[in-house]
């Protein structure tokens, strides 16, 4: 019996894993499972699995969001965050059974808990007003929160800062993220940081005397896109700056002895296109070294997808012998788990042509639990012991995968017209027959400094299921192919990157005789939306296009986007007043009169990254020119609509995309 084609609603049936956490003795691990409940809302719960067991056990229940499980050093308890009381708060759960106990009742919530090495303290972050008292925090009731929202909606928003809005958080206020210590024995709270800056917790030293934080504590922080590392003396609260104030540094971890610090970051040599590096700071000598200076791939997980929900560890993580560091790196469309010695010797620990989205390392047993996604399997966990084959621990989404037919991507490599090597993938349509002709859809990723890769992508599979050949590539500007490649589109949007995409279409049309050149479509979001707009203004070879959360006018983008005031300079070399003509020349809106391709514009009403006025300008201009265009506005949706937006809105979005292509292709 043949399997059925995947459907629009199928992403709501998926179970998505994240954040594996090995126990201190290395015998079991906890993780987060996110699903869509019967209210069509996301819910996440904690699960645990013994490494000698074949099944998982559920630790939390209900339709709330439970996440960030962290084992106590003795393994007897897990602290986690949950919004079951209304806003995220910290809860403590005994690992041998019993009910969870609520630890915090902070008005604005408490997040990202971690343990001190002796298990006496829990460190967490809380958003506070300058005069808030952490010893007297009271959680608002549902009615009180509703009343507060209503009162706030009646007041005008007074804006004094450049950074006054965020796509993730909406309009910002004067509250700042502070570091709080909770003493479990005394049941008391101590505020470690204060002032008009955000403080991001990184790690605590083995002896508990020092805490690492990341942030920008300068007076010019409102005008800067930088992040430095600092230490805080837990006794005196004295803050010491470790890095030079000339870059972005983060994810810092003490070695087990506390003598060294490993961290990620870069000096912004290529602005937002700079490869992430691995640094070591020696506390005794205050010497800083870069372990990755000879590598040509970025650290971290930079694969774009639409089914990753929840954060996971990317590294750096110290080994037991304190002479090695583990991390995830992005290279050539895959992410791998790597090991590097302090002498710079690099080794791949897990490389199976897939997407490693997270891992956990246990120093006692010297073993890993690795989270992996592939194009035909959303997620699973694997046990990886030193010098041993990986053993699959979970079999997630088995029922779903047993009943649907998924397309395995075919790798392609080709030469662009100017000789550059470019890499991509091709999905054949559901029910593929060699002697038939099929329409093709070109997908363009956002960023632009991310990469498509070997991960599960529901939208791609859906288009293949609808009978389309799907082409997705990593044009210049994408990560995973070296510093020169990722930097190649900066100051040159719509040139080499556009050429790469057209070369990809040329290659596929010439190589695969089942592709119907008369029925080509194109779509993309964010930078991919910009590129879709650019494409239809520069060629008529596509018979239909769908532009999503796009950019049409770099002049107005500068002032309306939450990143526009620095993004234009970083990516194009110009701010608004520097060279408005240059920004207009690379704005798709300038070429609206050349558009002959029927265009569907999709945009979220609450998108502050690429605000909806970008879609409005394009729609009004094209409509005024009597072009074939339609505009769909998604209420309450921000820039993350396609990835973590409300499930019902995600369904609507996909239905509009397939409707448009079905009509014209």
């Amino acid at each position: 019996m043949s399997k059925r084609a995947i459907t629009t609603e199928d992403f709501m049936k998926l179970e998505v894993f994240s954040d594996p956490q090995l126990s201190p003795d290395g015998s079991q691990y906890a993780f987060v499972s996110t699903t869509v409940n019967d209210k069509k809302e996301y819910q996440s719960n904690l699960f645990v699995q013994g490494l000698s067991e074949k099944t998982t056990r559920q630790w939390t229940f209900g339709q709330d969001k439970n996440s960030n499980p962290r084992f106590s050093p003795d393994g007897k308890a897990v602290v986690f965050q949950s919004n079951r009381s209304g806003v995220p708060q910290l809860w403590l759960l005994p690992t041998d059974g019993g009910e969870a106990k609520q630890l915090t009742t902070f008005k604005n919530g408490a997040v990202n808990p971690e343990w001190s090495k002796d298990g006496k303290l829990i460190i967490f972050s809380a958003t506070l007003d300058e005069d808030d008292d952490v010893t007297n925090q009271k959680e608002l009731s549902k009615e009180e929160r509703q009343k507060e929202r209503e009162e706030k909606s009646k007041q005008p928003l007074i804006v004094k800062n450049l950074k006054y809005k965020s796509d993730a958080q909406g309009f910002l206020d004067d509250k700042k993220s502070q570091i709080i210590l909770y003493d479990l024995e005394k049941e008391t709270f101590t505020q470690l940081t204060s002032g008009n800056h955000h403080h991001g917790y990184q790690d605590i030293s083995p002896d508990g005397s020092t805490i690492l934080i990341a942030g920008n504590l300068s007076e010019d922080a409102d005008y800067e896109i930088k992040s430095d590392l600092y230490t805080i003396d837990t006794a005196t609260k004295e803050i010491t700056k470790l890095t030079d104030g000339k870059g972005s540094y983060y994810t810092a971890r003490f070695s087990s002895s506390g003598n060294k610090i490993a961290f990620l970051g870069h000096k912004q040599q290529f602005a937002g296109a700079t490869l992430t590096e691995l640094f070591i700071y020696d506390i005794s000598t205050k010497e800083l070294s870069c372990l990755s200076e000879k590598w040509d791939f970025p650290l971290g997980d930079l694969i774009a997808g639409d089914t990753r929900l929840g954060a996971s560890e990317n590294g750096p993580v110290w080994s037991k012998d304190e002479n090695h560091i583990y991390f995830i790196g992005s290279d050539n469309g895959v992410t791998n788990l790597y090991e590097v010695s302090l002498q710079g010797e690099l080794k791949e620990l897990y490389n199976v042509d897939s997407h490693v989205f997270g891992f956990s390392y246990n120093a006692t047993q010297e073993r890993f639990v690795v989270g992996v996604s592939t194009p035909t399997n959303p997620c699973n966990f694997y046990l990886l012991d030193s010098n041993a084959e990986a053993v699959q621990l979970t079999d997630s989404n088995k029922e779903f995968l047993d009943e649907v037919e998924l397309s395995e991507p075919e790798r392609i490599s080709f030469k662009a017209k100017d000789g550059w090597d470019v890499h991509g993938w091709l999905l054949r349509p559901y029910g593929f027959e060699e002697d038939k002709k099929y329409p093709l859809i070109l997908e363009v990723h956002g960023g632009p400094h991310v990469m498509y890769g070997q991960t599960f992508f529901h939208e791609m599979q859906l288009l293949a299921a609808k009978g389309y050949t799907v082409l997705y590539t990593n044009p210049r500007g994408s990560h995973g192919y070296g510093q020169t490649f990722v930097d190649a589109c900066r100051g040159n949007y719509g040139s080499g990157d556009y050429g790469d995409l057209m070369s990809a279409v040329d290659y596929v049309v010439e190589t695969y005789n089942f592709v119907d050149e008369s029925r080509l479509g194109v779509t993309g979001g964010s930078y991919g939306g910009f590129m879709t707009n650019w494409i239809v203004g520069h060629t008529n070879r596509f018979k239909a296009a769908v532009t999503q959360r796009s950019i049409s006018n770099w002049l107005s983008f500068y002032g309306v986007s939450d990143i526009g005031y620095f993004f234009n300079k970083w990516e194009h070399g110009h701010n608004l007043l520097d060279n408005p003509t240059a920004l207009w020349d690379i704005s798709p809106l300038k070429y609206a009169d050349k558009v002959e391709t029927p265009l569907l514009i999709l945009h979220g009403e609450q998108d502050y990254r690429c605000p909806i006025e970008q879609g409005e300008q394009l729609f009004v201009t094209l409509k005024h020119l009597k072009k074939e265009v339609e505009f769909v506005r998604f209420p309450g949706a921000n820039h993350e609509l396609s990835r973590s937006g409300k499930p019902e809105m995600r369904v609507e979005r996909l239905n509009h995309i397939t409707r448009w292509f079905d009509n014209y292709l």
Side-chain angles (χ1 to χ4, degrees), residues 416-483:
K417 287 185 172 61
D418 58 2
W420 284 55
D421 291 312
V422 185
H423 170 227
W425 295 264
L426 194 75
L427 285 181
R428 300 189 182 214
Y430 174 76
F432 176 76
E433 297 176 28
E434 195 70 50
D435 57 348
K436 286 184 65 175
K437 287 278 191 179
Y438 295 93
L440 177 140
I441 295 174
L442 170 67
E443 285 264 8
V444 188
H445 67 60
H449 309 306
V450 296
M451 68 180 187
Y452 279 140
Q454 288 288 89
T455 193
F456 184 83
F457 211 125
H458 173 252
E459 179 179 326
M460 307 288 197
Q461 294 288 346
L462 176 66
L463 291 173
K466 293 287 185 179
Y468 298 101
T469 302
V470 184
L471 169 62
Y472 53 109
T473 71
N474 285 326
R476 66 195 71 182
S478 304
H479 264 306
Y481 305 90
Q483 183 63 78

Side-chain angles (χ1 to χ4, degrees), residues 114-128:
E114 298 286 353
W115 294 85
S116 62
K117 303 301 189 282
D118 60 8
K120 294 180 179 180
L121 299 174
I122 292 174
I123 307 103
F124 64 94
S125 298
T127 304
L128 301 173

Side-chain angles (χ1 to χ4, degrees), residues 8 11 14 16 42 303-309 355 443 452 455-462 549 640-645 650 653-654:
T8 304
F11 77 86
L14 297 177
V16 179
Y42 299 109
I303 288 185
D306 63 355
T307 49
R308 291 289 347 127
L309 297 166
H355 174 199
E443 285 264 8
Y452 279 140
T455 193
F456 184 83
F457 211 125
H458 173 252
E459 179 179 326
M460 307 288 197
Q461 294 288 346
L462 176 66
R549 57 190 191 284
E640 294 298 305
L641 169 63
S642 66
R643 298 178 281 260
S644 60
R650 290 177 64 183
R653 168 187 164 272
L654 291 168

Side-chain angles (χ1 to χ4, degrees), residues 611-624:
I612 197 167
E613 60 86 34
Q614 294 286 309
E616 289 174 323
Q617 289 186 65
L618 186 60
F619 172 74
V620 169
T621 303
L622 291 174
K623 198 67 179 176
H624 193 215

Side-chain angles (χ1 to χ4, degrees), residues 204-392:
I204 187 169
S205 62
D207 64 4
S209 66
T210 308
I211 281 182
L212 278 169
I213 65 166
N216 187 339
L217 306 188
S218 77
E219 292 184 3
D220 288 328
D222 191 37
Y223 301 92
E224 297 176 338
I225 309 299
K226 297 176 181 177
S227 176
D228 279 294
L229 296 179
Y230 304 82
T231 57
I232 303 177
D233 187 300
T234 54
T236 65
K237 300 184 182 180
E238 180 182 355
I239 296 179
T240 303
K241 190 176 180 181
L242 298 183
T243 48
D244 58 12
K246 298 178 181 179
S248 297
Y249 307 102
Y250 42 85
T251 321
R253 307 280 165 72
F254 281 106
S255 62
S256 55
S257 67
N259 294 328
K260 292 181 173 65
I261 299 169
F263 61 94
L264 304 181
H266 56 75
K267 296 182 181 294
Q268 298 182 351
Q269 302 97 313
F270 301 91
T274 312
L275 299 187
T276 304
E277 305 278 12
L278 173 59
F279 297 93
I280 304 295
Y281 181 83
D282 190 300
I283 293 174
S284 59
T285 65
K286 298 185 179 179
E287 290 181 358
L288 182 66
S289 59
C290 179
L291 281 182
S292 56
E293 58 186 351
K294 294 182 180 179
W295 310 343
D296 202 19
F297 65 90
L299 280 69
D301 173 12
L302 293 165
I303 288 185
D306 63 355
T307 49
R308 291 289 347 127
L309 297 166
S312 296
E313 175 65 71
N314 276 203
V317 171
W318 287 91
S319 66
K320 181 180 181 179
D321 64 11
E322 208 170 304
N323 191 46
H324 296 83
I325 293 169
Y326 308 115
F327 62 92
I328 290 173
S330 298
D331 187 27
N332 205 44
V334 300
T335 56
N336 302 321
L337 178 63
Y338 291 87
E339 171 192 275
V340 63
S341 71
L342 295 192
Q343 292 74 43
E345 298 163 343
L346 186 64
K347 177 182 177 182
E348 288 183 339
L349 295 182
Y350 189 90
N351 179 357
V352 192
D353 195 25
S354 60
H355 174 199
V356 177
F357 60 79
F359 72 97
S360 180
Y361 169 70
N362 178 270
T364 303
Q365 301 291 336
E366 296 189 78
R367 59 176 35 159
F368 301 85
V369 167
V370 183
V372 179
S373 175
T374 73
T376 55
N377 198 314
C379 56
N380 270 308
F381 290 122
Y382 293 79
L383 173 64
L384 183 66
D385 280 311
S386 297
N387 302 314
E389 290 291 317
V391 176
Q392 186 171 335

